[in-house]
């Protein structure tokens, strides 16, 4: 394969950019990625070793004078077994590049192409595998989908909002803003990871100030990518929330201020009724005729 044709193959499997002097190869999930590595002399009888950086370096592909991971050489990491190949007809031109088939999100990261017997010559690069998201219209390739926003609850403190992102890579940063662009206080984000993708949830409680429109912003600084979703909260929800508090305090005030007065009025009423009953009893006694006394013989006048 000639050099111009080789460049064409590379361009079809992704694209290469330079950042701070290092190469970045970017492909969509499920496609093939070619990681370039070449020197100015034949590598047919050389040793070159591809590794993936991380907490624990992973063996991606090793070639040693004709022996390699695809023809019996042991040591390849399970993540790459059966998925990595080289270009045998290009070895005489110094081409030690490899192809990773059916890329996955977990393939993203830093890689090194190392020639231990040529003064420790090493090439560095970064592979970025963009997730492919699906919606009703079909497949959409992108770093992260638009976040999902919703009203979670209405409390005495305000309206509770939830922002959620699923299947993002690399790990995104979420934040809530009002319509003026002010960043709102929020709870600590809940983050989980599965198969190299991140699921992030961020909640905040908002109150009625100068706006009822709020935005959840998702940012991936490594990719210089940002997306957002906006939610508008009905003013009635804020009224209901504050009204509930006002009613509660009003009831407390009534309980503290009116109750003693009501008790005093009740006691006075009981006393008034008792007085009326006593007076009524006396009046009835005055109206009754005096009882007739029996006459004695001394009371008779002839």
């Amino acid at each position: 394969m000639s050099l111009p044709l080789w460049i064409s193959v590379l361009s079809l499997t992704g694209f290469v950019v330079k950042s701070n002097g290092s190469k970045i190869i970017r492909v969509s999930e499920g496609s093939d990625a070619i990681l370039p590595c070449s020197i100015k002399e034949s590598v047919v009888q050389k040793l070159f070793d591809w590794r993936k950086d991380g907490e624990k370096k992973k063996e991606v592909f090793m070639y040693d004078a004709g022996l390699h991971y695809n023809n019996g050489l042991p040591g390849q990491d399970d993540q790459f077994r059966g998925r990595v190949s080289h270009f045998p007809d290009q070895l005489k031109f110094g081409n030690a590049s490899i192809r990773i088939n059916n890329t996955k999100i977990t393939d993203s990261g830093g890689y090194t192409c190392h020639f231990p017997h040529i003064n420790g010559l090493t090439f560095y690069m970064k592979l970025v595998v963009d997730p492919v998201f699906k919606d009703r219209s079909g497949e959409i390739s992108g770093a992260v989908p638009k976040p999902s926003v919703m009203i979670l609850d209405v409390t005495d403190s305000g309206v509770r909002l939830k922002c959620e992102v699923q299947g993002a890579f690399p790990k995104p940063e979420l934040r809530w803003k009002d319509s003026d662009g002010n960043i709102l206080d929020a709870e600590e984000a809940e983050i989980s990871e599965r198969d190299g993708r991140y699921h992030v949830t961020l909640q905040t409680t908002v109150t009625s100030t100068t706006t009822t429109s709020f935005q959840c912003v998702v940012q991936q600084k490594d990719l210089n990518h940002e997306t957002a979703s906006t939610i508008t909260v009905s003013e009635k929800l804020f009224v209901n929330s504050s009204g509930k508090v006002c009613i509660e305090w009003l009831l407390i005030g009534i309980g503290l201020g009116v109750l003693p007065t009501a008790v005093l009025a009740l006691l006075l009423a009981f006393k008034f009724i008792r007085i009326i009953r006593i007076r009524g009893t006396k009046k009835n006694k005055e109206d009754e005729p005096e009882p007739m006394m029996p006459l004695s013989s001394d009371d008779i006048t002839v």
Side-chain angles (χ1 to χ4, degrees), residues 290-296 299:
E290 293 183 2
M292 297 294 293
M293 299 299 293
L295 295 176
S296 64
D299 295 328

Side-chain angles (χ1 to χ4, degrees), residues 1-201:
M1 186 182 295
S2 63
L3 184 59
L5 182 57
W6 167 251
I7 295 175
S8 298
V9 171
L10 181 59
S11 64
L12 289 174
T13 57
F15 61 90
V16 181
V17 297
K18 287 188 176 182
S19 176
N20 298 326
S22 61
K23 293 180 179 180
I24 298 177
I25 298 90
R26 191 164 201 166
V27 297
S28 296
E29 182 182 13
S31 63
D32 297 345
I34 293 178
L35 305 186
C37 177
S38 61
I39 59 176
K40 295 181 179 180
E41 59 182 284
S42 172
V43 294
V44 173
Q45 297 301 319
K46 303 294 184 182
L47 167 65
F48 60 87
D49 185 19
W50 280 91
R51 293 183 180 182
K52 184 178 186 296
D53 296 334
E55 294 182 2
K56 179 181 178 182
K57 288 185 178 293
K58 296 181 178 181
E59 282 289 338
V60 179
F61 187 82
M62 180 182 288
Y63 175 92
D64 187 5
L67 292 176
H68 52 81
Y69 284 150
N70 292 336
N71 68 0
L73 192 66
Q76 188 176 30
D77 190 272
D78 290 340
Q79 177 181 341
F80 299 98
R81 186 167 293 136
R83 298 174 51 228
V84 183
S85 59
H86 68 307
F87 300 88
D89 58 341
Q90 289 289 307
L91 295 175
K92 60 185 176 183
F93 301 112
N95 192 340
S97 304
I98 59 172
R99 180 199 301 270
I100 301 178
N101 297 324
N102 189 25
T103 54
K104 304 176 181 179
I105 299 299
T106 50
D107 293 335
S108 297
Y111 288 78
T112 56
C113 175
H114 180 54
F115 294 88
H117 299 157
I118 307 180
N119 298 323
L121 183 63
T122 304
F123 295 86
Y124 300 89
M125 65 208 68
K126 182 177 181 179
L127 174 62
V128 177
V129 181
D130 290 331
V132 174
F133 302 101
K134 294 182 180 180
D135 62 9
R136 296 177 181 177
S137 62
E139 292 188 353
I140 299 177
S141 179
V144 64
K146 290 179 72 66
S148 172
V149 292
M150 62 179 293
I151 295 175
L152 199 61
D153 192 14
V154 179
T155 68
D156 295 343
S157 301
V159 180
R160 193 177 183 84
L161 303 179
K162 176 182 177 181
C163 178
E164 187 175 39
V165 171
Q166 296 186 5
F169 180 85
K171 183 169 66 176
E173 294 181 5
L174 275 64
R175 59 183 180 274
W176 278 101
K177 290 184 176 181
D178 61 18
S179 59
D180 296 325
N182 300 313
I183 298 177
L184 305 177
D185 291 335
E187 300 177 7
E188 184 176 353
E190 298 179 8
I191 304 174
S192 60
E193 184 267 337
R194 182 178 180 183
D195 296 331
R197 298 193 185 212
Y198 292 90
H199 182 167
V200 186
T201 300

